[in-house]
Amino acid sequence: MSHTEPSRVSRRGFMKAAGLGAASTALGAATISSAQAQEWDGEFDVIVAGSGGAAFAGAIGALNNGASVVMLEKAAFIGGTTAKSGGGSWVPNNKWMAAHGYTDNKDDYLRYVARVSFPELYNDKSPTLGMTEHHWAQLNAFWDNASRVFERLDADGALPSTTFLSWDGKPAPDYHGHLAENADIRGRQMATSVDGQAGSGADMIDYLSIYAEDHGLDIRTEHRVVKIIREEGGRVVGVEAETADGVIRLHARKGVIFGTGGFTHNPHMRTQFLRTPVMGGCAVPTNEGDLISMASEIGVKLGNLNEAWNQQEVLEEVLEFSSVPSGIFFQGGDSMISVNKFGKRMYDEKYVYPERTRAHQVYDQWTGDYPNLYQIMLFDEACREFGGYLIPTPGADLPRHIISGATLEELADNIQARFDSLAEHIGTYKLDENFLANLKETIERFNGFAKTGKDLDFHRGESPIDAYFHAVPIDRGNPNPYMSPISAEGPYYAVLMGSGTLDTKGGPVFDVNGQVLDVRDNVIPGLYVAGNASASPSGKSYLGGGGTLGLGITFGYLAGEHAARQA
């Protein structure tokens, strides 16, 4: 296996994995007596469930500390959602920042993560900046260990790293880089290095898996963990897993680490836990929240279940296949806007994807619904000439999810007709009767902003992250290169957008060593969690590019270290 091989992830692989998940038995927990303890199909020091970045970090942390490790992956292929990702990791105080002239300090870091992760709690006069003692400890542990973990993985060749650079050659800013608490820090976003260049998530998995297998990791695909096994004293000592040949029971002498991802593709959990309707997202289809079901059986404390790594999706794509190849990381073009069913803008269209997606969650108490639930990205013909993400080039065939109209009137009619055609999936969704009139007023107001270069409503183009995500290949000579007036004449185009996730970020609550806690905040011996399967200490926030993998890999590695060192 080489890191230059093509990605193992494919649409066919997704479907096969989804079929495996659908044909399983109930999930839960089992307790054994000492007499039963010898009835195993195999024994290892550490068992790792899952095979994404957090899971591999857990396996490598254990291997590097002398443990024997088996990895059980539910799907027919390894890598999980990490293999679909960009392979970035958010790592504060990393050694690579200095080469680009940046230094990090713990005070700035803590203020930033407290401010954006728990904005409702933030208090700069508090010793914990308003955070709970639990989150304060976790986020301090992340600072204290993240750079060490990534430098160790880099030095070992398990995960070569480099600084993630923008299209203009600058280190990437954090997603909320305009806030005073960020202190204008850049370079916390790391990339998987392939010959010194930024690689992909598939490259990350290749590196991690090669290193792990070379150091003795036993990887078993199509092994779905369905039960957590504890001895009578409460310690987790193993798991049951479904395989093509039946159920097997494996003994973990030191610990079980879960890195099985979130619950993006469990419709019941999405409906019960998340705050707005989510049809799916970028997570692999096997991310069905298996650990939440098993953990509930043994009294695990759950947290952050109402949060996700948010991302907008092309509505018709996610309705067709809930595990989409990629979502709307950014909205391209300059003579474009996004509006709700009232024909009004909701945000800076160039701002970062997780924060745009929060607009879908707005609730109107008067009408009793979500006015921004489904949104419309609108652009003109000139926008096609200058290009951008989701914008087809002139003369190219239009993807079927793009709606067109010779006039704004025709476009509005065609948008409503498209919503009507999707009623079987989304129910009745009507544009407001004043949609067209409001849209014309919205365009007129936006065009005024484009001429002055100042978006007085939403600050479009002012945040550092706007420039990071949106290169300006051709400058039309506007005072703000991210805004051009929308033409007074058609044709016009539209894309319907819905709310989705990269994955969810709620699950078992864990301590600074990755140990899972019970409902009374006591450690459950032998049980660990990391990554999107866990209650993320980032709370409501997406700290910066790679925010999910930076946390997941760090706490996964800490879990592996801690488990391997148990007697």
Side-chain angles (χ1 to χ4, degrees):
M1 176 168 39
S2 165
H3 68 263
T4 59
E5 290 175 346
S7 169
R8 301 179 180 86
V9 183
S10 67
R11 194 177 183 92
R12 182 177 299 173
F14 292 160
M15 297 303 290
K16 183 174 182 180
L20 176 66
S24 63
T25 61
L27 305 175
T31 302
I32 63 170
S33 67
S34 58
Q36 295 174 301
Q38 303 304 315
E39 301 172 6
W40 302 105
D41 296 299
E43 290 189 316
F44 300 85
D45 292 330
V46 175
I47 296 172
V48 175
S51 67
F56 266 110
I60 292 171
L63 290 166
N64 284 351
N65 285 273
S68 60
V69 186
V70 65
M71 175 175 282
L72 307 179
E73 168 53 52
K74 175 180 175 180
F77 52 89
I78 64 170
T81 305
T82 300
K84 292 182 64 179
S85 75
S89 302
W90 195 80
V91 184
N93 197 36
N94 66 75
K95 73 173 187 178
W96 293 268
M97 295 173 71
H100 298 277
Y102 290 91
T103 57
D104 213 347
N105 72 80
K106 193 172 186 178
D107 183 65
D108 288 334
Y109 155 83
L110 286 170
R111 289 180 183 278
Y112 175 69
V113 296
R115 167 69 175 80
V116 299
S117 299
F118 304 98
E120 76 284 10
L121 300 177
Y122 182 61
N123 178 357
D124 62 0
K125 303 299 190 293
S126 162
T128 64
L129 300 174
M131 291 188 288
T132 65
E133 292 288 347
H134 176 78
H135 289 126
W136 176 256
Q138 283 183 311
L139 290 168
N140 270 273
F142 182 51
W143 169 274
D144 294 340
N145 290 281
S147 59
R148 172 183 70 86
V149 167
F150 276 82
E151 287 174 25
R152 171 68 191 272
L153 293 172
D154 178 80
D156 287 345
L159 185 60
S161 295
T162 187
T163 302
F164 220 120
L165 300 178
S166 175
W167 58 271
D168 58 5
K170 297 179 181 178
D174 293 337
Y175 280 0
H176 307 272
H178 60 284
L179 297 178
E181 290 84 1
N182 177 258
D184 197 28
I185 298 295
R186 287 177 177 253
R188 288 170 172 158
Q189 183 179 351
M190 304 298 302
T192 302
S193 176
V194 180
D195 298 326
Q197 303 299 312
S200 67
D203 294 314
M204 174 181 278
I205 292 300
D206 281 344
Y207 277 122
L208 292 171
S209 61
I210 291 168
Y211 178 88
E213 287 186 289
D214 286 348
H215 287 77
L217 178 63
D218 182 348
I219 301 176
R220 304 183 185 184
T221 57
E222 297 185 280
H223 279 59
R224 184 188 191 187
V225 176
V226 295
K227 287 187 185 297
I228 297 170
I229 302 174
R230 297 193 298 170
E231 60 187 8
E232 288 178 337
R235 181 178 183 83
V236 170
V237 294
V239 299
E240 286 188 6
E242 291 181 343
T243 77
D245 298 320
V247 175
I248 63 170
R249 302 168 80 250
L250 297 179
H251 181 208
R253 290 184 286 262
K254 297 189 175 189
V256 176
I257 303 172
F258 278 88
T260 46
F263 55 85
T264 288
H265 301 295
N266 185 316
H268 172 75
M269 290 183 184
R270 290 200 312 253
T271 301
Q272 295 300 312
F273 298 151
L274 299 178
R275 293 182 290 175
T276 48
V278 167
M279 297 87 174
C282 287
V284 288
T286 46
N287 287 20
E288 299 169 300
D290 291 358
L291 178 58
I292 292 175
S293 299
M294 288 182 276
S296 299
E297 292 279 341
I298 61 174
V300 166
K301 185 174 186 176
L302 300 174
N304 215 44
L305 291 172
N306 62 338
E307 291 296 339
W309 306 100
N310 297 309
Q311 186 183 48
Q312 291 177 305
E313 314 293 349
V314 174
L315 179 59
E316 288 156 277
E317 286 186 355
V318 77
L319 289 175
E320 179 182 1
F321 185 51
S322 69
S323 181
V324 295
S326 179
I328 304 174
F329 279 99
F330 44 92
Q331 297 180 13
D334 51 6
S335 52
M336 58 78 61
I337 54 174
S338 290
V339 299
N340 62 12
K341 70 177 184 178
F342 294 98
K344 297 183 178 181
R345 290 176 69 209
M346 302 150 286
Y347 45 63
D348 166 12
E349 291 87 350
K350 303 307 173 186
Y351 201 53
V352 67
Y353 52 92
E355 303 309 317
R356 292 197 318 270
T357 310
R358 288 192 179 280
H360 294 263
Q361 300 167 352
V362 172
Y363 180 76
D364 185 333
Q365 78 277 8
W366 181 254
T367 60
D369 67 359
Y370 298 97
N372 306 336
L373 181 58
Y374 303 117
Q375 302 175 11
I376 303 148
M377 175 181 160
L378 181 150
F379 55 97
D380 64 10
E381 182 68 22
C383 198
R384 297 183 64 181
E385 297 177 16
F386 290 90
Y389 190 70
L390 291 182
I391 310 293
T393 57
D397 292 337
L398 295 180
R400 59 191 177 92
H401 63 260
I402 291 186
I403 305 163
S404 62
T407 63
L408 289 175
E409 287 79 4
E410 183 179 331
L411 183 70
D413 289 341
N414 291 343
I415 289 170
Q416 185 59 67
R418 186 66 60 88
F419 276 129
D420 292 344
S421 74
L422 301 174
E424 180 182 350
H425 305 285
I426 65 173
T428 301
Y429 197 78
K430 296 295 183 182
L431 299 176
D432 184 77
E433 61 182 9
N434 295 315
F435 173 82
L436 183 60
N438 290 341
L439 177 62
K440 291 180 178 180
E441 289 181 5
T442 297
I443 290 174
E444 182 179 4
R445 182 170 176 81
F446 172 80
N447 286 352
F449 295 158
K451 290 175 183 177
T452 65
K454 295 291 290 186
D455 179 358
L456 299 180
D457 290 338
F458 301 108
H459 306 283
R460 179 157 147 181
E462 295 179 25
S463 172
I465 202 64
D466 287 7
Y468 170 70
F469 274 116
H470 299 277
V472 185
I474 299 176
D475 187 351
R476 292 211 228 179
N478 297 306
N480 183 332
Y482 305 105
M483 294 192 293
S484 286
I486 295 172
S487 174
E489 298 181 355
Y492 301 101
Y493 305 90
V495 176
L496 304 185
M497 301 181 293
S499 177
T501 76
L502 292 173
D503 200 4
T504 57
K505 58 191 300 191
V509 174
F510 61 95
D511 71 3
V512 296
N513 296 309
Q515 296 179 104
V516 172
L517 306 181
D518 67 16
V519 292
R520 300 185 186 278
D521 287 326
N522 297 312
V523 166
I524 298 177
L527 184 60
Y528 300 82
V529 70
N532 295 342
S534 69
S536 175
S538 67
K540 298 170 177 59
S541 170
Y542 209 130
L543 300 168
T548 173
L549 282 168
L551 287 162
I553 288 173
T554 298
F555 283 106
Y557 194 90
L558 294 179
E561 283 185 323
H562 191 272
R565 292 169 181 171
Q566 301 308 296

Coordinates of all heavy atoms in Angstrom, one line a residue, residues 203-256:
D203 N -4.8 10.6 1.6 CA -3.3 10.5 1.9 C -3.1 10.3 3.4 O -2.2 9.5 3.7 CB -2.6 11.8 1.4 CG -2.7 11.9 -0.1 OD1 -2.4 11.0 -0.8 OD2 -3.0 13.1 -0.6
M204 N -3.8 11.0 4.2 CA -3.7 10.9 5.6 C -3.9 9.4 6.1 O -3.1 8.9 6.8 CB -4.7 11.8 6.4 CG -4.7 11.6 7.9 SD -5.9 12.7 8.7 CE -4.9 14.2 8.8
I205 N -5.0 8.8 5.6 CA -5.3 7.4 5.9 C -4.2 6.5 5.4 O -3.8 5.5 6.1 CB -6.7 7.0 5.4 CG1 -7.7 7.8 6.2 CG2 -6.9 5.5 5.6 CD1 -7.7 7.6 7.7
D206 N -3.7 6.7 4.2 CA -2.6 5.9 3.7 C -1.4 5.9 4.6 O -0.8 4.9 5.0 CB -2.2 6.3 2.3 CG -3.2 5.8 1.2 OD1 -4.0 4.9 1.5 OD2 -3.2 6.3 0.1
Y207 N -1.0 7.1 4.9 CA 0.2 7.2 5.8 C 0.0 6.5 7.2 O 0.8 5.7 7.6 CB 0.5 8.7 6.1 CG 1.4 9.4 5.0 CD1 0.9 10.5 4.4 CD2 2.6 8.9 4.7 CE1 1.6 11.1 3.4 CE2 3.4 9.6 3.7 CZ 2.9 10.7 3.1 OH 3.7 11.3 2.1
L208 N -1.2 6.8 7.8 CA -1.4 6.3 9.1 C -1.5 4.8 9.1 O -1.0 4.0 9.9 CB -2.7 6.9 9.7 CG -2.7 8.4 10.0 CD1 -4.1 8.8 10.4 CD2 -1.8 8.6 11.2
S209 N -2.2 4.2 8.0 CA -2.4 2.8 8.0 C -1.1 2.1 7.7 O -0.9 1.0 8.2 CB -3.5 2.5 6.9 OG -3.1 2.9 5.6
I210 N -0.3 2.6 6.8 CA 1.0 2.0 6.5 C 1.8 1.9 7.7 O 2.4 0.9 8.1 CB 1.7 2.8 5.4 CG1 1.0 2.6 4.0 CG2 3.2 2.3 5.3 CD1 1.5 3.6 3.0
Y211 N 1.9 3.0 8.4 CA 2.7 3.0 9.7 C 2.2 2.0 10.7 O 2.9 1.2 11.3 CB 2.8 4.4 10.3 CG 3.5 4.5 11.6 CD1 4.9 4.7 11.6 CD2 2.9 4.3 12.8 CE1 5.6 4.8 12.8 CE2 3.6 4.4 14.0 CZ 5.0 4.6 14.0 OH 5.7 4.7 15.2
A212 N 0.9 2.0 10.9 CA 0.3 1.2 11.9 C 0.4 -0.3 11.5 O 0.8 -1.1 12.4 CB -1.2 1.5 12.0
E213 N 0.2 -0.6 10.3 CA 0.4 -2.0 9.9 C 1.8 -2.5 10.0 O 2.1 -3.6 10.4 CB -0.2 -2.3 8.5 CG -1.7 -2.2 8.4 CD -2.2 -2.6 7.0 OE1 -2.0 -1.7 6.1 OE2 -2.8 -3.7 6.9
D214 N 2.7 -1.6 9.6 CA 4.2 -1.9 9.8 C 4.6 -2.2 11.2 O 5.6 -2.8 11.5 CB 5.0 -0.8 9.2 CG 5.0 -0.8 7.6 OD1 4.5 -1.8 7.1 OD2 5.5 0.2 7.1
H215 N 3.8 -1.6 12.1 CA 4.1 -1.7 13.6 C 3.2 -2.7 14.3 O 3.1 -2.7 15.5 CB 4.1 -0.4 14.3 CG 5.3 0.5 13.9 ND1 5.4 1.1 12.7 CD2 6.4 0.8 14.5 CE1 6.5 1.8 12.6 NE2 7.2 1.6 13.7
G216 N 2.5 -3.6 13.5 CA 1.8 -4.7 14.1 C 0.3 -4.6 14.2 O -0.3 -5.5 14.8
L217 N -0.3 -3.5 13.7 CA -1.7 -3.4 13.8 C -2.4 -4.5 12.9 O -2.1 -4.7 11.7 CB -2.2 -2.0 13.3 CG -3.7 -1.8 13.3 CD1 -4.3 -1.9 14.7 CD2 -4.1 -0.4 12.7
D218 N -3.4 -5.1 13.5 CA -4.3 -6.1 12.8 C -5.6 -5.4 12.4 O -6.4 -5.0 13.3 CB -4.6 -7.3 13.8 CG -5.4 -8.4 13.2 OD1 -6.0 -8.2 12.1 OD2 -5.6 -9.4 13.8
I219 N -5.7 -5.1 11.1 CA -6.9 -4.4 10.6 C -7.9 -5.4 10.1 O -7.6 -6.2 9.2 CB -6.6 -3.4 9.6 CG1 -5.6 -2.4 10.1 CG2 -7.8 -2.7 9.0 CD1 -5.1 -1.4 9.0
R220 N -9.2 -5.3 10.6 CA -10.2 -6.3 10.1 C -11.4 -5.4 9.7 O -12.1 -4.8 10.5 CB -10.6 -7.2 11.2 CG -9.5 -8.0 11.8 CD -9.9 -9.0 12.8 NE -8.8 -9.7 13.4 CZ -8.9 -10.7 14.3 NH1 -10.1 -11.1 14.7 NH2 -7.8 -11.3 14.8
T221 N -11.7 -5.4 8.4 CA -12.9 -4.7 7.8 C -14.1 -5.7 7.9 O -14.0 -6.9 8.2 CB -12.6 -4.3 6.4 OG1 -12.3 -5.5 5.6 CG2 -11.5 -3.3 6.3
E222 N -15.3 -5.1 7.7 CA -16.6 -5.7 7.8 C -16.7 -6.4 9.1 O -17.2 -7.5 9.2 CB -16.7 -6.7 6.6 CG -16.8 -6.0 5.3 CD -17.1 -6.9 4.1 OE1 -16.2 -7.6 3.6 OE2 -18.3 -6.9 3.7
H223 N -16.3 -5.7 10.2 CA -16.4 -6.2 11.6 C -17.2 -5.0 12.3 O -16.5 -4.0 12.7 CB -15.1 -6.4 12.2 CG -14.5 -7.7 12.0 ND1 -14.2 -8.2 10.7 CD2 -14.1 -8.8 12.8 CE1 -13.7 -9.4 10.7 NE2 -13.6 -9.8 12.0
R224 N -18.5 -5.2 12.4 CA -19.3 -4.1 13.1 C -19.4 -4.4 14.6 O -20.0 -5.4 15.0 CB -20.7 -4.1 12.5 CG -21.5 -2.9 13.1 CD -22.9 -2.9 12.6 NE -23.6 -1.7 13.0 CZ -24.9 -1.5 12.8 NH1 -25.7 -2.4 12.3 NH2 -25.4 -0.3 13.2
V225 N -18.8 -3.6 15.4 CA -18.9 -3.7 16.9 C -20.4 -3.4 17.3 O -20.9 -2.4 17.0 CB -18.0 -2.8 17.6 CG1 -18.2 -2.9 19.1 CG2 -16.5 -3.1 17.2
V226 N -21.0 -4.4 18.0 CA -22.4 -4.3 18.4 C -22.6 -4.4 19.9 O -23.7 -4.0 20.3 CB -23.3 -5.4 17.7 CG1 -23.3 -5.1 16.2 CG2 -22.8 -6.8 18.0
K227 N -21.6 -4.8 20.6 CA -21.8 -4.8 22.1 C -20.5 -4.5 22.8 O -19.4 -4.8 22.3 CB -22.2 -6.2 22.5 CG -23.7 -6.6 22.2 CD -24.0 -7.9 22.9 CE -25.5 -8.3 22.5 NZ -26.5 -7.4 23.0
I228 N -20.6 -3.8 23.9 CA -19.5 -3.5 24.8 C -19.6 -4.5 25.9 O -20.7 -4.6 26.6 CB -19.6 -2.0 25.3 CG1 -19.5 -1.0 24.2 CG2 -18.5 -1.8 26.4 CD1 -19.8 0.4 24.6
I229 N -18.5 -5.2 26.2 CA -18.6 -6.3 27.2 C -17.8 -5.8 28.4 O -16.7 -5.3 28.3 CB -17.9 -7.6 26.7 CG1 -18.6 -8.0 25.4 CG2 -17.9 -8.6 27.7 CD1 -18.0 -9.2 24.7
R230 N -18.5 -5.9 29.6 CA -17.8 -5.5 30.9 C -17.8 -6.7 31.8 O -18.7 -7.5 31.8 CB -18.6 -4.4 31.5 CG -18.7 -3.1 30.7 CD -19.2 -1.9 31.5 NE -20.5 -2.1 32.0 CZ -21.1 -1.3 32.9 NH1 -20.5 -0.3 33.4 NH2 -22.4 -1.6 33.2
E231 N -16.8 -6.7 32.7 CA -16.8 -7.7 33.7 C -17.7 -7.2 34.9 O -18.1 -6.0 34.9 CB -15.4 -8.0 34.2 CG -14.6 -6.8 34.7 CD -13.2 -7.1 35.0 OE1 -12.7 -8.2 34.6 OE2 -12.5 -6.3 35.5
E232 N -17.9 -8.0 35.9 CA -18.8 -7.7 36.9 C -18.5 -6.4 37.7 O -19.3 -5.7 38.2 CB -19.0 -8.9 37.9 CG -19.7 -10.0 37.3 CD -19.8 -11.2 38.2 OE1 -19.0 -11.3 39.1 OE2 -20.7 -12.0 38.0
G233 N -17.2 -6.1 37.8 CA -16.8 -4.9 38.5 C -17.0 -3.6 37.7 O -16.9 -2.5 38.2
G234 N -17.4 -3.7 36.4 CA -17.8 -2.6 35.6 C -16.7 -2.2 34.5 O -17.0 -1.4 33.7
R235 N -15.6 -2.9 34.6 CA -14.5 -2.5 33.6 C -14.9 -3.1 32.3 O -15.4 -4.2 32.1 CB -13.2 -3.1 34.1 CG -12.0 -2.8 33.1 CD -10.7 -3.4 33.6 NE -9.6 -3.0 32.7 CZ -9.0 -1.9 32.7 NH1 -9.3 -1.0 33.6 NH2 -8.1 -1.6 31.8
V236 N -14.6 -2.3 31.2 CA -14.8 -2.8 29.9 C -13.7 -3.7 29.5 O -12.5 -3.3 29.6 CB -14.9 -1.6 28.9 CG1 -14.9 -2.1 27.4 CG2 -16.2 -0.8 29.2
V237 N -14.0 -4.9 29.1 CA -13.0 -5.9 28.8 C -13.0 -6.5 27.4 O -12.2 -7.4 27.0 CB -13.1 -7.1 29.8 CG1 -12.7 -6.6 31.2 CG2 -14.4 -7.7 29.8
G238 N -13.9 -6.0 26.6 CA -14.0 -6.5 25.2 C -15.2 -6.1 24.5 O -16.0 -5.2 24.9
V239 N -15.4 -6.6 23.3 CA -16.5 -6.3 22.4 C -17.1 -7.5 21.7 O -16.3 -8.5 21.5 CB -16.2 -5.2 21.4 CG1 -15.7 -3.9 22.0 CG2 -15.1 -5.7 20.4
E240 N -18.3 -7.4 21.2 CA -18.8 -8.4 20.3 C -18.9 -7.6 18.9 O -19.2 -6.5 18.9 CB -20.2 -8.9 20.7 CG -20.2 -9.9 21.8 CD -21.5 -10.5 22.0 OE1 -22.5 -10.2 21.2 OE2 -21.7 -11.2 23.0
A241 N -18.6 -8.4 17.9 CA -18.6 -7.8 16.5 C -19.3 -8.7 15.6 O -19.1 -9.9 15.6 CB -17.2 -7.4 16.0
E242 N -20.1 -8.2 14.7 CA -20.7 -8.9 13.6 C -19.8 -9.0 12.4 O -19.2 -8.0 12.0 CB -22.1 -8.3 13.2 CG -23.2 -8.4 14.2 CD -24.4 -7.7 13.7 OE1 -24.4 -7.0 12.7 OE2 -25.5 -7.9 14.3
T243 N -19.7 -10.2 11.9 CA -18.8 -10.4 10.7 C -19.6 -11.3 9.7 O -20.7 -11.7 10.0 CB -17.5 -11.2 11.1 OG1 -17.8 -12.6 11.3 CG2 -16.9 -10.6 12.3
A244 N -19.1 -11.4 8.5 CA -19.8 -12.2 7.5 C -19.9 -13.7 8.0 O -20.8 -14.4 7.5 CB -19.0 -12.2 6.2
D245 N -19.0 -14.1 8.9 CA -19.1 -15.5 9.4 C -19.8 -15.6 10.7 O -19.7 -16.7 11.4 CB -17.6 -16.0 9.5 CG -16.9 -16.0 8.2 OD1 -17.5 -16.4 7.2 OD2 -15.7 -15.6 8.2
G246 N -20.4 -14.6 11.2 CA -21.1 -14.7 12.5 C -20.5 -13.7 13.5 O -19.6 -12.9 13.2
V247 N -21.1 -13.8 14.7 CA -20.6 -12.9 15.8 C -19.4 -13.4 16.5 O -19.3 -14.6 16.8 CB -21.8 -12.7 16.8 CG1 -21.3 -11.8 18.0 CG2 -23.0 -12.0 16.1
I248 N -18.4 -12.5 16.7 CA -17.2 -12.9 17.4 C -17.1 -12.1 18.7 O -17.7 -11.0 18.8 CB -16.0 -12.8 16.6 CG1 -15.7 -11.4 16.2 CG2 -16.1 -13.7 15.4 CD1 -14.3 -11.2 15.5
R249 N -16.4 -12.6 19.7 CA -16.1 -11.9 20.9 C -14.6 -11.7 21.1 O -13.9 -12.7 21.1 CB -16.7 -12.6 22.1 CG -18.2 -12.9 21.9 CD -18.7 -13.9 23.0 NE -19.0 -13.2 24.3 CZ -18.2 -13.5 25.3 NH1 -17.2 -14.3 25.3 NH2 -18.5 -12.9 26.5
L250 N -14.2 -10.5 21.2 CA -12.7 -10.2 21.3 C -12.5 -9.6 22.7 O -13.2 -8.7 23.2 CB -12.2 -9.3 20.2 CG -12.3 -9.8 18.8 CD1 -11.8 -8.8 17.8 CD2 -11.5 -11.1 18.6
H251 N -11.4 -10.0 23.3 CA -11.0 -9.6 24.7 C -10.0 -8.4 24.6 O -9.0 -8.5 23.8 CB -10.4 -10.7 25.4 CG -10.0 -10.4 26.8 ND1 -8.9 -11.0 27.5 CD2 -10.4 -9.5 27.7 CE1 -8.8 -10.5 28.7 NE2 -9.7 -9.5 28.9
A252 N -10.2 -7.4 25.3 CA -9.2 -6.3 25.4 C -8.6 -6.3 26.8 O -9.3 -6.0 27.8 CB -9.9 -4.9 25.1
R253 N -7.4 -6.6 26.9 CA -6.7 -6.7 28.2 C -6.6 -5.3 28.8 O -6.6 -5.2 30.1 CB -5.4 -7.4 28.1 CG -5.5 -8.9 27.8 CD -4.1 -9.5 27.8 NE -3.3 -9.1 26.6 CZ -3.3 -9.9 25.5 NH1 -3.9 -11.1 25.5 NH2 -2.5 -9.5 24.4
K254 N -6.5 -4.2 28.0 CA -6.2 -2.9 28.6 C -7.2 -1.9 28.2 O -7.4 -0.9 29.0 CB -4.8 -2.4 28.1 CG -3.7 -3.3 28.6 CD -2.3 -2.7 28.3 CE -1.2 -3.6 28.9 NZ 0.1 -3.0 28.9
G255 N -7.9 -2.0 27.1 CA -8.9 -0.9 26.8 C -9.5 -1.1 25.4 O -8.9 -1.7 24.5
V256 N -10.7 -0.5 25.3 CA -11.4 -0.4 24.0 C -11.5 1.1 23.6 O -12.0 1.9 24.4 CB -12.8 -1.1 24.1 CG1 -13.5 -0.9 22.7 CG2 -12.6 -2.5 24.4

